[in-house]
Amino acid sequence: MRLVIQRVSKARVSVYEKCFDYDEAHITYRSESGKGLMILVGVEETDSESDIDWLVGKVSAMRIFDDERGIMNLSVKDIDGECMAISQFTLYASTKKGNRPSWFRAAKQEISEPLYNLFCSRLSSALGKEVARGVFGADMKVEICNDGPVTIIIDSKNRE
């Protein structure tokens, strides 16, 4: 699993030019968040729950928010921040040949959608609050206000 994590002052996703709250199995997901993290989530065919657990631990404890001295020493959990997670298969683009990216490493929907949803659920549990999200597979418009800017890329296959 590959994540692009951005420290944001706010984030918003819209589908068909509308910001929304949507209900899936009687759970309402928000499509806006305040100060916290915007997380783009790419899923590979070989990803599993162990990748999710490792990444959730990293994301929830990553100290990239300023403390009272202006030093990045606080986590999103420490600041009671919010998170938004957006599924993005393009994180697995292969650009080795030609000029058109190939997506052969990105997992198919039947694998990626359940793993993306599980990542969001486990991150919600770790933070004690719901993770805002987009609509899986939809053409979305994502607005962020990157704070810093701070952008970090993590791949669960590069743990060592």
Side-chain angles (χ1 to χ4, degrees), residues 56-122:
V56 165
K58 290 299 250 184
V59 169
S60 61
M62 187 174 294
R63 300 181 318 172
I64 59 173
F65 293 91
D66 293 346
D67 64 14
E68 65 280 349
R69 297 180 319 252
I71 297 169
M72 283 196 260
N73 203 27
L74 301 173
S75 70
V76 68
K77 201 170 180 178
D78 294 332
I79 67 159
D80 195 29
E82 298 180 1
C83 287
M84 176 179 282
I86 302 290
S87 176
Q88 189 166 354
F89 74 93
T90 60
L91 295 181
Y92 280 103
S94 175
T95 57
K96 289 183 180 180
K97 292 183 180 179
N99 293 319
R100 182 181 304 187
S102 169
W103 321 112
F104 71 92
R105 288 186 55 203
K108 304 286 185 270
Q109 181 175 356
E110 56 271 10
I111 294 171
S112 58
E113 187 172 9
L115 289 176
Y116 162 74
N117 286 328
L118 186 59
F119 171 81
C120 292
S121 296
R122 292 204 176 156

Side-chain angles (χ1 to χ4, degrees), residues 16-17 25 33 38 51 66 71 76 82 101 113 122 128 133 136 144 147-150:
Y16 307 116
E17 299 181 20
S33 69
M38 161 58 83
D51 295 290
D66 293 346
I71 297 169
V76 68
E82 298 180 1
E113 187 172 9
R122 292 204 176 156
R133 53 177 97 177
F136 188 93
I144 64 163
D147 180 16
V150 174

